[in-house]
Each structure stands twice: as C-alpha cells, then as structure tokens.
C-alpha cells in the first residue's frame, strides 16, 4: 500500500501590506507573487503549489482587503473573499507592527461570521518587541476563534517552517490536484504581465503604479526554444505615459530589461520582451481589462 497523501487549500488573508505575497514566496521557495513596499500590489488570486512530504499544500495569495472605490477595487476585494471561502484553512495574516487597525478589525468581524477554520499568523514579529505580541494575540482571539497562532517573519523566514509542517499535517487526506513539479497555476502570459507590473511599482512613484495595468498581447514560442512576449501597459493619464517612457525611452527600457531577466529565470529559457505604452482613461472600470488581469466580474 502507498503512503497516505494529503491535499488542500490554505488562503492567505489580510489587510494591504500585511506581507502576504512575501510569505507566499518564502513558503513556496520561489517568486510566484509580485512584491513591493507599496500596498495593494497583488490584484488577483495567485496559487502557489508546494510539496511537503506526502502533502500538496495549495497556497492562495489574495489581494489585501480594503474599502473599495473603483470597479477594480471591488473586483480585488471579491477575489480576496472568494479565496478565503474556498479554502480548507484560512491564514489570517496580521502585521504585528500595525496591530489591530480598522482594516484588520473589519476582516476579523467578517471571518467571525463564517465559522471557517482560521489560523492566526502574526508577521514581521522580528520588528516588534516580544512583550507586545501576547497582548495583540489576546486582543485578536477575544474577537475571533482561532485554532493556532504562529509568530513569523516572512522576510527572514523565521517561524515559516513550523507553519508549513502544521499545514502539511492538518490538510485533508486526498489525491494531489496538480502535478508534483508545478509551482503555480498562473499562466505564463499572466506571469509576464505581473512581472512587468512589479517593475512599474519598483521604479515609479506616487500614483503611477495604481493607474496602470499590463496585458500580454502575444506570447510566441520560437524555434530556438526562446519565447517572444509583447505586452501593453495601459495608463489612465497622459502624464503617466511620459513618466513610464522616461527621457529618450530610458525608463521603459529599464522596466523591460529587469522584467525580462526575472521572467527568463522563472521560465528557464531566454525571453524577448517588447513593451508598448498606451493611454486608456477609465481602464479600471472596464470589465474586459479586469478579466485580462485575472479578475472575475465584480459582484
């Protein structure tokens, strides 16, 4: 008889900038979700597929939950909650430095009504004095029943192994849902668009990253084993287009070069990336644009 296998979903839920994408990447041991110091970087659900012994852990990174204004915002929040609803275990990630903010409180209130299995993960604990952690844990557990509490640093990896071991032992018995060597269910063309968007976050400032979206227009395998990718960056304002292109096209070249290097590493093949910038006011209210970046229609 073969060994018993386990497989299940664990959703990372929290306020913007709690460190969900950093934790997903640390747990998976690979870059699956884009990370930047700015809040609301993740827009759609990202699935990380991780083998731990005989358990396949399916980690769902969700957008940060916040008060939505635009159609884009509403679609992001809907994606976050549907990720939590579909999971066997919900990992509530709380930034230990920020503590119980209004955003965290509203997430706790909603989770408390679902009756789902919740584990509390306090992140960035390396940046907080230990005596602050117990009172914060007590405050949260007064409002929400949690099965386990973990203290981690997604950045350094402290506490992450313990969390993975407990997940591997706790997910339901069953067959694997994905091939064992898969890392994510994110299509390569969407991954390409996300890596370009990450470089926009890292290399531009103020509202520019939030006013842009990236779509892969074509993704073609070449006979020499390399791939040609053509992507369009849509911006909401004329001024943003000028910033992205930069003087003599320097900024857009830099964005493309860095995204191409990351992509070549992830796809393990040479990539030829061509970027085009187009102005399209109101793209964040267009259903077609939202679907293109992996968000379903808003509720």
């Amino acid at each position: 008889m073969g060994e018993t296998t386990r497989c299940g979903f664990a959703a990372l839920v929290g306020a913007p900038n709690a460190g969900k994408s950093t934790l997903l990447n640390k747990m998976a041991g690979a870059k699956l979700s884009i990370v930047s110091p700015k809040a609301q970087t993740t827009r759609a659900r990202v699935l990380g597929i991780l083998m731990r012994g005989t358990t396949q852990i399916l980690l769902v990174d969700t957008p940060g939950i916040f008060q939505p204004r635009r159609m884009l915002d509403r679609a992001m929040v809907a994606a976050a909650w549907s990720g939590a609803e579909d999971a066997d275990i919900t990992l509530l990630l709380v930034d230990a430095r920020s503590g119980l903010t209004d955003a965290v409180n509203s997430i706790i209130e909603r989770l408390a009504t679902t009756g789902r299995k919740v584990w509390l993960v306090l992140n960035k604990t390396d940046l907080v004095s230990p005596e602050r952690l117990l009172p914060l844990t007590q405050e949260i557990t007064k409002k929400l029943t949690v099965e386990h509490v973990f203290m981690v640093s997604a950045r350094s990896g402290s506490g992450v192994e313990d969390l993975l071991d407990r997940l591997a032992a706790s997910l339901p018995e069953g067959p694997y849902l994905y091939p064992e060597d898969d890392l994510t269910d994110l299509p390569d063309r969407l991954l390409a668009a996300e890596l370009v968007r990450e470089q926009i976050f890292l290399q531009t400032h103020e509202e520019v990253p939030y006013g842009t979206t990236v779509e892969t227009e074509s993704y073609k395998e070449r006979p020499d084993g390399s791939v040609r990718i053509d992507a369009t960056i849509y911006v909401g304002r004329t001024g943003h287009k000028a910033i992205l292109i930069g003087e003599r096209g320097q900024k857009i070249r830099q964005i493309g070069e860095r995204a191409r290097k990351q992509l070549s590493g992830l796809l393990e093949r040479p990539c030829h990336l061509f970027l085009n910038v187009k102005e399209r006011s109101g793209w964040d209210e267009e259903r077609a644009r939202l679907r293109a970046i992996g968000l379903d229609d808003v509720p």
Side-chain angles (χ1 to χ4, degrees):
M1 281 178 63
E3 288 182 281
T4 303
T5 60
R6 293 177 180 273
C7 181
F9 290 87
L12 290 161
V13 170
N17 250 9
K20 296 179 297 298
S21 298
T22 306
L23 182 59
L24 171 78
N25 292 340
K26 182 63 76 174
M27 290 166 89
K31 177 135 187 200
L32 303 179
S33 198
I34 73 171
V35 177
S36 92
K38 303 177 177 76
Q40 296 169 34
T41 309
T42 303
R43 282 181 177 163
R45 277 183 290 173
V46 177
L47 184 70
I49 302 160
L50 171 65
M51 295 305 302
R52 189 85 172 171
T54 56
T55 302
Q56 187 173 71
I57 303 172
L58 305 173
L59 295 163
V60 185
D61 179 25
T62 61
I65 296 169
F66 57 99
Q67 201 56 47
R69 294 189 307 278
R70 305 167 293 171
M71 185 184 283
L72 168 65
D73 300 339
R74 293 195 297 279
M76 285 163 64
V77 171
W81 281 119
S82 65
E85 283 154 13
D86 296 342
D88 297 287
I89 296 169
T90 300
L91 303 175
L92 170 60
L93 197 64
V94 175
D95 181 338
R97 287 181 309 176
S98 308
L100 264 179
T101 60
D102 289 346
V104 174
N105 271 318
S106 65
I107 294 167
I108 287 171
E109 279 170 27
R110 177 147 172 184
L111 283 176
T113 64
T114 64
R116 303 195 75 80
K117 192 184 283 188
V118 179
W119 294 4
L120 173 62
V121 182
L122 291 183
N123 187 27
K124 308 182 188 178
T125 53
D126 53 332
L127 305 175
V128 175
S129 60
E131 55 269 20
R132 279 180 55 193
L133 296 172
L134 185 59
L136 176 58
T137 304
Q138 288 172 333
E139 267 188 284
I140 293 169
T141 52
K142 270 184 207 162
K143 299 171 180 239
L144 179 69
T145 303
V146 302
E147 200 173 67
H148 299 294
V149 179
F150 296 88
M151 311 279 180
V152 307
S153 164
R155 202 175 44 134
S156 73
S158 167
V160 171
E161 293 295 311
D162 291 341
L163 174 56
L164 284 170
D165 286 341
R166 187 60 69 93
L167 274 174
S170 305
L171 288 170
E173 290 183 10
Y176 301 150
L177 295 177
Y178 293 88
E180 290 180 52
D181 56 354
D182 277 10
L183 278 176
T184 180
D185 69 341
L186 201 63
D188 290 345
R189 55 189 301 128
L190 197 52
L191 185 65
E194 283 292 272
L195 288 174
V196 172
R197 199 165 64 84
E198 177 178 48
Q199 288 304 321
I200 295 169
F201 264 93
L202 295 175
Q203 296 187 52
T204 62
H205 303 288
E206 303 307 325
E207 76 278 13
V208 176
Y210 300 102
T212 61
T213 187
V214 183
E215 287 181 32
T216 301
E217 306 288 352
S218 81
Y219 184 101
K220 289 181 182 158
E221 309 272 351
R222 292 168 45 142
D224 63 1
S226 67
V227 61
R228 177 189 168 121
I229 301 160
D230 292 85
T232 298
I233 302 168
Y234 289 104
V235 298
R237 296 183 195 168
T238 310
H240 291 177
K241 184 174 180 179
I243 292 167
L244 272 175
I245 292 171
E247 199 174 335
R248 297 181 183 168
Q250 194 175 352
K251 180 66 74 181
I252 196 71
R253 271 199 304 275
Q254 197 176 41
I255 288 168
E257 201 174 293
R258 292 188 183 175
R260 181 186 57 73
K261 278 183 185 164
Q262 291 248 15
L263 201 51
S264 295
L266 275 172
L267 298 178
E268 299 177 327
R269 59 164 73 185
C271 292
H272 309 279
L273 178 63
F274 298 88
L275 300 179
N276 184 21
V277 185
K278 286 185 183 173
E279 188 183 341
R280 193 181 184 103
S281 138
W283 67 262
D284 53 1
E285 295 285 348
E286 289 181 42
R287 289 184 189 279
R289 297 279 78 75
L290 303 187
R291 279 197 295 270
I293 59 173
L295 286 166
D296 296 326
D297 285 355
V298 290

